[in-house]
Amino acid sequence: MNVKSFGGRRVAVATGLVLALGWGVSAQASDIGPRTAGGKPVDAVAHRSDGAAGKGAVAACSQDVLGVSAVKEPADSKEARHLLLIVQNAGDKKCNLYRHPLVRLGADARTTVPVIKESDPTPGAPVTLAPGEEAYAALLVSGGARDEYEAKSITLGLQGRKPGSSAGRPMDVPMPAPTLYADDGQLVTYWTTASGFALDFIMSK
């Protein structure tokens, strides 16, 4: 897969978040940055697979304009139980992220990862990303529940404007570790522009 790093801008963003929040993006996140999925040009125009219409409307973010990465939290943890999913708008127009990412851990995952409902920072409103801006979702890979299995891939789907709709194709997220040990206790948060807010919902689990 042809990928591209956007790490050159991330240091300033991560530093600002660390100062504003108790948490923040780890040094590892600052170093690697998100990468585009599918080898698409970073200036591609977002398409409206969610059915959004109207002159001047903000399109749903899709894989065509987003870079994506995942990092362990904390960065030096031996177990990759707590992950921060990072997406960056690499296009030249604003786009909207709706609700939460649709995450599947492993190629044989039967369902998407359940969402932590109380993690929605602005209920009913999308997260709007200007060009170059980032959004985050925290992912709990295993919560100490039953039926542990090995996952060697992370797939991330984007929701469209209407509930039940999708925006573009699922993205393959670069793995933060060769293998993840997932179980029935896996959880994910809603999208937010504050990494610390998202991480607060999983770091104590």
Side-chain angles (χ1 to χ4, degrees):
M1 179 175 64
N2 182 24
V3 296
K4 185 174 181 180
S5 173
F6 296 93
R9 191 193 58 80
R10 183 184 299 282
V11 173
V13 174
T15 302
L17 286 170
V18 170
L19 292 175
L21 307 161
W23 289 95
V25 184
S26 68
Q28 184 183 8
S30 301
D31 289 340
I32 66 171
R35 287 170 276 182
T36 56
K40 296 289 185 179
V42 297
D43 59 350
V45 177
H47 60 274
R48 297 179 178 179
S49 58
D50 66 337
K55 186 176 181 180
V58 177
C61 297
S62 75
Q63 83 288 344
D64 287 337
V65 296
L66 289 184
V68 62
S69 66
V71 295
K72 295 186 295 183
E73 291 292 341
D76 59 355
S77 69
K78 294 181 180 180
E79 295 182 338
R81 290 186 60 239
H82 305 97
L83 303 182
L84 186 65
L85 303 175
I86 308 166
V87 292
Q88 183 185 62
N89 182 358
D92 58 3
K93 296 180 180 179
K94 291 181 180 180
C95 67
N96 284 337
L97 288 169
Y98 291 93
R99 293 171 290 279
H100 57 88
L102 302 175
V103 179
R104 291 182 183 271
L105 295 176
D108 298 325
R110 291 169 291 180
T111 61
T112 57
V113 178
V115 67
I116 302 174
K117 293 182 179 179
E118 59 269 29
S119 67
D120 190 350
T122 53
V127 172
T128 301
L129 294 182
E133 289 185 339
E134 297 171 350
Y136 312 94
L139 174 63
L140 180 67
V141 174
S142 61
R146 58 191 179 279
D147 295 334
E148 183 179 89
Y149 66 95
E150 294 185 1
K152 297 185 180 296
S153 65
I154 304 172
T155 304
L156 186 155
L158 299 165
Q159 299 194 55
R161 178 175 57 88
K162 297 179 180 179
S165 66
S166 62
R169 299 183 301 277
M171 298 185 290
D172 294 322
V173 182
M175 291 286 285
T179 302
L180 300 177
Y181 295 92
D183 64 22
D184 288 350
Q186 56 192 257
L187 293 166
V188 72
T189 68
Y190 278 75
W191 290 116
T192 176
T193 55
S195 61
F197 178 81
L199 288 168
D200 278 345
F201 287 95
I202 69 165
M203 295 306 292
S204 61
K205 297 182 183 297

